[in-house]
């Protein structure tokens, strides 16, 4: 007969295996029998927080105050703002024109939470801020248990319940109780202020926390405040000062690379991504962005080396084989092109991923001069995802090209496809 595990140990096992809902349910059963079980209470709060976890540092969601500030801001000088980035510094021919937004920012090679969520376009979207979470830090003191309970309560209120007002009140009381000597609570107050759009107050709290204790996460939060204030140069200087204190810190190097990428300074972005890979050659973001940059710089064979590194790291998904397929085609490794796309189609988990594969297959068909096959591939892509902007755009170009060749084609279909592309992705520039 097997031994029965203690409920608390079983709940902790669920938590370690990222089965957070099972962990929370088991903790609830324990709390029904013993309402004052502090261990079960803390574990349940942590499990519920992990269910909605998104790294707060990576999220650049703007609130209502940020939208108003941006609307009333004056036009900055090029190279000093993320709203008006500098000109692209990469030159030379390219196997495929790198897509950019209307602001002139190149599409990144790595999907981040901030890229995925995007800037809220309406006040209603800004009010409905997504739930996020923050990593807890242990502290050591004579009243450590009390502080751990308060920290767990704060994280639950702030991240899971999204009640920022109550959270900031609790953080303020805790800061006062610690006689304003606890840097962690100051960072939490700053994060509450940031969520409320009070960026200047958030800056003061983060700076005060840095004076007491220099921490990498505090630097990252303060840089996020400067980014929201559209002060990328200040954020860059902060990161570089942080590197003096924490040499070779990967998160700081990645932060610098991201800002340069947003400012369309691709050469500096590549330089810092390579520095990241020197420190950690398995860093996913730097590997993906470096591979993407080599591809759009007419070096698909070099890009292949970076994407194949993901295979060595155990990554096996549709996006990776889709990138491998298009790189193999432009690197003239035709024996692997269709095989990679076949695997990409077989591993696709949703219709959007299938549409991406057919979109690249359409490019391959255009490359070999088979416009009929390209037309069919783009149509198959739209069957799976009718809102795929790039496919609509390329289909419009294809229809227009066919119309000019035949001196008669239906240019109206090209115009309709272009309109659909603009409607699906209004912030994207067609090529």
């Amino acid at each position: 007969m097997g031994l029965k595990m203690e409920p608390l140990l079983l709940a902790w096992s669920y938590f370690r295996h990222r089965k957070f809902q099972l962990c929370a349910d088991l903790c609830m059963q324990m709390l029904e029998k013993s309402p004052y079980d502090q261990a079960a209470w803390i574990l349940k709060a942590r499990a519920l927080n992990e269910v909605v976890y998104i790294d707060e540092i990576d999220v650049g969601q703007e609130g209502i105050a940020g939208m108003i500030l941006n609307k009333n801001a004056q036009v900055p000088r090029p190279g000093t703002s993320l709203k008006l980035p500098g000109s692209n510094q990469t030159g030379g021919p390219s196997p495929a024109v790198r897509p950019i937004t209307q602001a002139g920012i190149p599409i990144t090679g790595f999907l981040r939470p901030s890229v995925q969520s995007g800037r809220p376009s309406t006040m209603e979207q800004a009010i409905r801020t997504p739930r996020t979470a923050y990593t807890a830090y242990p502290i050591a003191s004579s009243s450590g248990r009390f502080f751990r309970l308060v920290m767990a309560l704060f994280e639950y209120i702030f991240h899971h319940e999204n009640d920022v007002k109550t959270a900031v009140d609790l953080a303020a009381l805790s800061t006062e109780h610690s006689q304003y000597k606890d840097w962690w609570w100051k960072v939490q107050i700053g994060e509450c202020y940031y969520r409320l759009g009070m960026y200047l107050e958030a800056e003061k709290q983060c700076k005060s926390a840095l004076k007491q204790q220099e921490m990498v996460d505090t630097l990252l939060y303060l840089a996020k405040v400067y980014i929201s204030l559209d002060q990328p140069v200040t954020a860059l200087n902060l990161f570089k000062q942080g590197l003096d204190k924490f040499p070779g810190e990967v998160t700081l190097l990645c932060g610098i690379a991201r800002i340069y990428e947003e400012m369309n300074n691709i050469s500096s972005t590549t330089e810092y991504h390579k520095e990241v890979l020197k420190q950690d050659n398995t860093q996913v973001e730097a590997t993906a962005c470096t591979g993407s940059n080599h591809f759009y710089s007419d070096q698909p064979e070099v890009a292949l080396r970076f994407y194949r590194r993901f295979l060595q790291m155990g990554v096996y998904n549709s996006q990776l084989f889709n990138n491998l397929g298009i790189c193999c085609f432009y690197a003239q490794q035709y024996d692997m092109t269709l095989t990679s796309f076949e695997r990409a189609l077989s591993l696709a988990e949703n219709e959007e991923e299938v549409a991406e594969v057919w979109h690249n297959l359409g490019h391959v068909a255009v490359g070999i001069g088979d416009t009929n096959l390209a037309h069919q591939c783009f149509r198959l892509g739209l069957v799976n995802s009718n809102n795929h902007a790039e496919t609509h755009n390329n289909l419009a170009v294809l229809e227009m090209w066919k119309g000019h060749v035949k001196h008669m084609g239906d240019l109206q279909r090209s115009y309709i496809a272009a309109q659909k592309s603009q409607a699906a992705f209004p912030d994207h520039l067609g090529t």
Side-chain angles (χ1 to χ4, degrees):
M1 296 180 62
L3 296 176
K4 187 176 180 181
M5 188 180 295
E6 287 289 332
L8 184 61
L9 294 178
L10 181 58
W12 179 248
S13 177
Y14 284 147
F15 184 87
R16 292 291 301 271
H17 289 85
R18 304 190 64 81
K19 298 178 180 179
F20 301 122
Q21 194 58 51
L22 290 175
C23 175
D25 294 341
L26 186 55
C27 289
M28 189 62 196
Q29 295 176 12
M30 290 187 288
L31 289 172
E32 289 176 355
K33 297 179 181 179
S34 179
Y36 298 102
D37 189 337
Q38 296 179 358
W41 185 83
I42 291 178
L43 187 57
K44 178 187 175 183
R46 291 186 61 187
L48 292 175
N49 285 336
E50 289 291 338
V51 171
V52 295
Y53 179 82
I54 296 177
D55 193 353
E56 194 74 31
I57 297 173
D58 282 337
V59 177
Q61 186 79 20
E62 289 185 279
I64 298 176
M67 296 176 65
I68 297 174
L69 284 174
N70 288 333
K71 185 178 294 184
N72 297 330
Q74 298 179 353
V75 178
R77 298 193 307 272
T80 63
S81 168
L82 300 180
K83 306 297 184 295
L84 188 62
S87 60
N88 195 343
Q89 297 186 11
T90 57
S94 175
V97 178
R98 184 164 190 162
I100 60 175
T101 65
Q102 289 181 348
I105 302 173
I107 301 298
T108 181
F110 181 83
L111 186 60
R112 308 185 188 98
S114 58
V115 176
Q116 189 173 14
S117 60
R119 178 174 179 264
S121 57
T122 64
M123 287 291 184
E124 294 180 357
Q125 293 177 3
I127 293 173
R128 292 195 292 268
T129 306
R131 292 174 175 176
T132 55
Y134 181 87
T135 304
Y137 292 88
I139 56 176
S141 67
S142 59
S143 56
R145 176 177 293 182
F146 168 76
F147 279 109
R148 283 194 295 270
L149 290 172
V150 177
M151 288 168 62
L153 178 61
F154 171 83
E155 290 177 345
Y156 179 81
I157 294 173
F158 181 72
H159 305 304
H160 189 273
E161 296 301 312
N162 200 21
D163 188 350
V164 183
K165 182 179 181 300
T166 304
V168 73
D169 290 340
L170 177 61
L173 290 173
S174 300
T175 304
E176 183 179 356
H177 181 77
S178 64
Q179 299 179 352
Y180 305 96
K181 297 180 180 180
D182 194 323
W183 66 270
W184 191 86
W185 283 114
K186 292 184 178 181
V187 174
Q188 305 317 303
I189 294 176
E191 188 59 32
C192 290
Y193 285 150
Y194 180 89
R195 183 76 69 85
L196 294 171
M198 303 166 63
Y199 301 132
L200 297 180
E201 288 76 6
E203 178 189 8
K204 293 178 182 178
Q205 294 294 330
C206 290
K207 283 185 174 180
S208 178
L210 281 174
K211 289 181 180 179
Q212 290 184 337
Q213 181 70 44
E214 292 183 342
M215 298 292 292
V216 174
D217 279 5
T218 310
L219 290 171
L220 295 173
Y221 277 121
L222 183 56
K224 190 174 79 167
V225 172
Y226 288 137
I227 293 299
S228 298
L229 291 171
D230 195 21
Q231 298 178 9
V233 176
T234 306
L236 284 174
N237 293 333
L238 177 67
F239 280 139
K240 292 175 181 179
Q241 291 173 7
L243 287 174
D244 295 335
K245 301 290 183 180
F246 306 96
E249 175 59 41
V250 170
T251 54
L252 298 180
L253 293 170
C254 279
I256 295 175
R258 290 180 184 181
I259 294 177
Y260 276 132
E261 188 177 54
E262 290 290 324
M263 297 174 68
N264 205 5
N265 190 338
I266 304 300
S267 59
S268 296
T269 301
T270 304
E271 176 186 349
Y272 276 94
H273 276 149
K274 289 181 178 179
E275 187 63 30
V276 170
L277 294 177
K278 289 180 182 178
Q279 303 295 330
D280 181 6
N281 59 5
T282 62
Q283 215 279 341
V284 175
E285 179 179 346
T287 304
C289 291
T290 305
S292 175
N293 181 64
H294 281 296
F295 174 77
Y296 288 112
S297 300
D298 198 20
Q299 297 175 324
E301 65 284 346
V302 180
L304 271 175
R305 293 168 49 192
F306 288 91
Y307 288 127
R308 284 173 176 166
R309 183 179 297 178
F310 286 117
L311 292 176
Q312 298 172 350
M313 294 164 55
V315 179
Y316 198 82
N317 56 33
S318 177
Q319 295 93 333
L320 175 57
F321 281 102
N322 193 18
N323 288 340
L324 285 171
I326 198 67
C327 286
C328 285
F329 174 73
Y330 283 112
Q332 299 182 4
Q333 299 184 16
Y334 302 120
D335 55 332
M336 293 295 298
T337 300
L338 292 181
T339 303
S340 298
F341 283 129
E342 286 175 355
R343 290 197 178 180
L345 285 172
S346 65
L347 294 172
E349 297 180 353
N350 52 58
E351 294 180 344
E352 185 68 24
E353 292 182 2
V354 175
E356 289 285 348
V357 178
W358 284 115
H359 173 258
N360 278 354
L361 281 169
H363 276 289
V364 172
V366 171
I368 64 177
D370 193 339
T371 57
N372 291 327
L373 178 59
H375 190 277
Q376 186 177 6
C377 290
F378 290 142
R379 284 294 181 187
L380 286 171
L382 293 178
V383 167
N384 288 277
S385 178
N386 193 41
N387 293 324
H388 198 270
E390 292 86 351
T391 302
H392 278 298
N393 182 74
N394 291 333
L395 193 59
V397 174
L398 192 61
E399 293 282 1
M400 183 177 64
W401 181 81
K402 289 171 63 178
H404 284 305
V405 170
K406 295 180 179 179
H407 300 287
M408 54 178 289
D410 189 2
L411 295 180
Q412 182 66 23
R413 286 186 296 181
S414 173
Y415 178 72
I416 293 174
Q419 282 186 319
K420 290 182 179 180
S421 175
Q422 181 68 16
F425 194 178
D427 194 40
H428 189 278
L429 286 180
T431 57

